[in-house]
mmCIF file of all heavy atoms in Angstrom:
data_model
loop_
_atom_site.group_PDB
_atom_site.id
_atom_site.type_symbol
_atom_site.label_atom_id
_atom_site.label_comp_id
_atom_site.label_asym_id
_atom_site.label_seq_id
_atom_site.Cartn_x
_atom_site.Cartn_y
_atom_site.Cartn_z
ATOM 1 N N ASP A 30 100.228 72.666 102.010
ATOM 2 C CA ASP A 30 100.208 73.194 103.370
ATOM 3 C C ASP A 30 99.773 74.650 103.391
ATOM 4 O O ASP A 30 99.025 75.068 104.254
ATOM 5 C CB ASP A 30 101.578 73.056 104.033
ATOM 6 C CG ASP A 30 101.915 71.609 104.388
ATOM 7 O OD1 ASP A 30 100.988 70.774 104.396
ATOM 8 O OD2 ASP A 30 103.098 71.320 104.629
ATOM 9 N N GLU A 47 87.884 79.213 92.730
ATOM 10 C CA GLU A 47 87.579 79.050 91.302
ATOM 11 C C GLU A 47 88.617 79.760 90.436
ATOM 12 O O GLU A 47 89.073 79.235 89.420
ATOM 13 C CB GLU A 47 86.188 79.569 90.995
ATOM 14 C CG GLU A 47 85.076 78.718 91.583
ATOM 15 C CD GLU A 47 83.696 79.359 91.448
ATOM 16 O OE1 GLU A 47 83.569 80.470 90.884
ATOM 17 O OE2 GLU A 47 82.728 78.726 91.919
ATOM 18 N N GLN A 50 91.892 77.840 90.469
ATOM 19 C CA GLN A 50 91.788 76.649 89.610
ATOM 20 C C GLN A 50 91.897 77.046 88.143
ATOM 21 O O GLN A 50 92.588 76.399 87.355
ATOM 22 C CB GLN A 50 90.498 75.903 89.868
ATOM 23 C CG GLN A 50 90.489 75.154 91.179
ATOM 24 C CD GLN A 50 89.152 74.495 91.457
ATOM 25 O OE1 GLN A 50 88.227 74.532 90.650
ATOM 26 N NE2 GLN A 50 89.045 73.866 92.615
ATOM 27 N N GLU A 72 104.059 106.182 89.890
ATOM 28 C CA GLU A 72 103.697 107.011 91.036
ATOM 29 C C GLU A 72 103.553 106.161 92.292
ATOM 30 O O GLU A 72 103.999 106.545 93.371
ATOM 31 C CB GLU A 72 102.380 107.763 90.769
ATOM 32 C CG GLU A 72 102.451 108.759 89.641
ATOM 33 C CD GLU A 72 102.221 108.136 88.247
ATOM 34 O OE1 GLU A 72 101.783 106.968 88.142
ATOM 35 O OE2 GLU A 72 102.516 108.820 87.270
ATOM 36 N N SER A 73 102.913 104.983 92.171
ATOM 37 C CA SER A 73 102.749 104.104 93.322
ATOM 38 C C SER A 73 104.081 103.605 93.841
ATOM 39 O O SER A 73 104.317 103.560 95.048
ATOM 40 C CB SER A 73 101.872 102.888 92.961
ATOM 41 O OG SER A 73 100.538 103.281 92.783
ATOM 42 N N ASP A 83 99.218 103.447 101.076
ATOM 43 C CA ASP A 83 98.168 102.436 100.977
ATOM 44 C C ASP A 83 97.390 102.552 99.678
ATOM 45 O O ASP A 83 96.492 101.780 99.421
ATOM 46 C CB ASP A 83 97.199 102.561 102.146
ATOM 47 C CG ASP A 83 97.818 102.099 103.446
ATOM 48 O OD1 ASP A 83 98.720 101.231 103.401
ATOM 49 O OD2 ASP A 83 97.411 102.606 104.504
ATOM 50 N N VAL A 98 91.275 89.888 86.209
ATOM 51 C CA VAL A 98 90.257 88.930 85.746
ATOM 52 C C VAL A 98 88.997 89.136 86.583
ATOM 53 O O VAL A 98 89.039 89.024 87.812
ATOM 54 C CB VAL A 98 90.758 87.470 85.893
ATOM 55 C CG1 VAL A 98 89.680 86.496 85.497
ATOM 56 C CG2 VAL A 98 92.019 87.250 85.102
ATOM 57 N N HIS A 100 85.497 87.983 87.998
ATOM 58 C CA HIS A 100 84.731 86.769 88.261
ATOM 59 C C HIS A 100 83.320 86.969 87.720
ATOM 60 O O HIS A 100 82.676 87.986 88.014
ATOM 61 C CB HIS A 100 84.707 86.483 89.767
ATOM 62 C CG HIS A 100 84.125 85.144 90.102
ATOM 63 N ND1 HIS A 100 82.787 84.962 90.274
ATOM 64 C CD2 HIS A 100 84.715 83.937 90.246
ATOM 65 C CE1 HIS A 100 82.555 83.695 90.540
ATOM 66 N NE2 HIS A 100 83.723 83.044 90.532
ATOM 67 N N GLY A 104 81.425 89.462 90.170
ATOM 68 C CA GLY A 104 81.846 90.761 89.652
ATOM 69 C C GLY A 104 83.135 91.272 90.271
ATOM 70 O O GLY A 104 83.619 92.344 89.926
ATOM 71 N N TYR A 107 89.917 90.120 90.222
ATOM 72 C CA TYR A 107 91.094 89.521 90.873
ATOM 73 C C TYR A 107 92.336 89.859 90.068
ATOM 74 O O TYR A 107 92.302 89.939 88.856
ATOM 75 C CB TYR A 107 90.922 88.007 90.988
ATOM 76 C CG TYR A 107 89.831 87.627 91.957
ATOM 77 C CD1 TYR A 107 88.575 87.237 91.517
ATOM 78 C CD2 TYR A 107 90.065 87.682 93.332
ATOM 79 C CE1 TYR A 107 87.575 86.907 92.408
ATOM 80 C CE2 TYR A 107 89.057 87.357 94.238
ATOM 81 C CZ TYR A 107 87.814 86.962 93.759
ATOM 82 O OH TYR A 107 86.826 86.651 94.651
ATOM 83 N N LEU A 108 93.440 90.006 90.786
ATOM 84 C CA LEU A 108 94.725 90.283 90.168
ATOM 85 C C LEU A 108 95.584 89.037 90.252
ATOM 86 O O LEU A 108 95.881 88.541 91.343
ATOM 87 C CB LEU A 108 95.402 91.457 90.886
ATOM 88 C CG LEU A 108 96.688 91.967 90.235
ATOM 89 C CD1 LEU A 108 96.365 92.654 88.911
ATOM 90 C CD2 LEU A 108 97.417 92.913 91.161
ATOM 91 N N SER A 111 101.626 87.048 86.413
ATOM 92 C CA SER A 111 102.027 86.338 85.204
ATOM 93 C C SER A 111 102.645 85.006 85.632
ATOM 94 O O SER A 111 103.299 84.927 86.661
ATOM 95 C CB SER A 111 103.049 87.177 84.426
ATOM 96 O OG SER A 111 103.642 86.407 83.428
ATOM 97 N N LEU A 126 104.314 94.843 97.214
ATOM 98 C CA LEU A 126 103.255 95.846 97.305
ATOM 99 C C LEU A 126 101.890 95.236 97.019
ATOM 100 O O LEU A 126 100.879 95.718 97.498
ATOM 101 C CB LEU A 126 103.512 96.983 96.303
ATOM 102 C CG LEU A 126 104.699 97.894 96.584
ATOM 103 C CD1 LEU A 126 104.901 98.886 95.433
ATOM 104 C CD2 LEU A 126 104.542 98.615 97.910
ATOM 105 N N ALA A 147 95.101 88.644 94.581
ATOM 106 C CA ALA A 147 94.847 89.981 95.092
ATOM 107 C C ALA A 147 93.491 90.450 94.536
ATOM 108 O O ALA A 147 92.989 89.892 93.550
ATOM 109 C CB ALA A 147 95.956 90.927 94.664
ATOM 110 N N LYS A 163 95.583 92.719 99.349
ATOM 111 C CA LYS A 163 96.762 91.989 98.906
ATOM 112 C C LYS A 163 96.462 90.502 98.747
ATOM 113 O O LYS A 163 95.626 89.960 99.454
ATOM 114 C CB LYS A 163 97.899 92.117 99.932
ATOM 115 C CG LYS A 163 98.727 93.346 99.810
ATOM 116 C CD LYS A 163 99.917 93.244 100.757
ATOM 117 C CE LYS A 163 100.878 94.377 100.535
ATOM 118 N NZ LYS A 163 102.113 94.193 101.293
ATOM 119 N N ALA A 168 107.033 81.652 97.122
ATOM 120 C CA ALA A 168 108.278 81.543 96.347
ATOM 121 C C ALA A 168 108.711 80.080 96.423
ATOM 122 O O ALA A 168 108.786 79.509 97.490
ATOM 123 C CB ALA A 168 109.340 82.446 96.935
#
Side-chain angles (χ1 to χ4, degrees):
D30 288 345
E47 291 171 0
Q50 287 176 3
E72 296 84 12
S73 289
D83 288 332
V98 177
H100 189 273
Y107 292 101
L108 187 69
S111 168
L126 291 175
K163 276 187 172 188

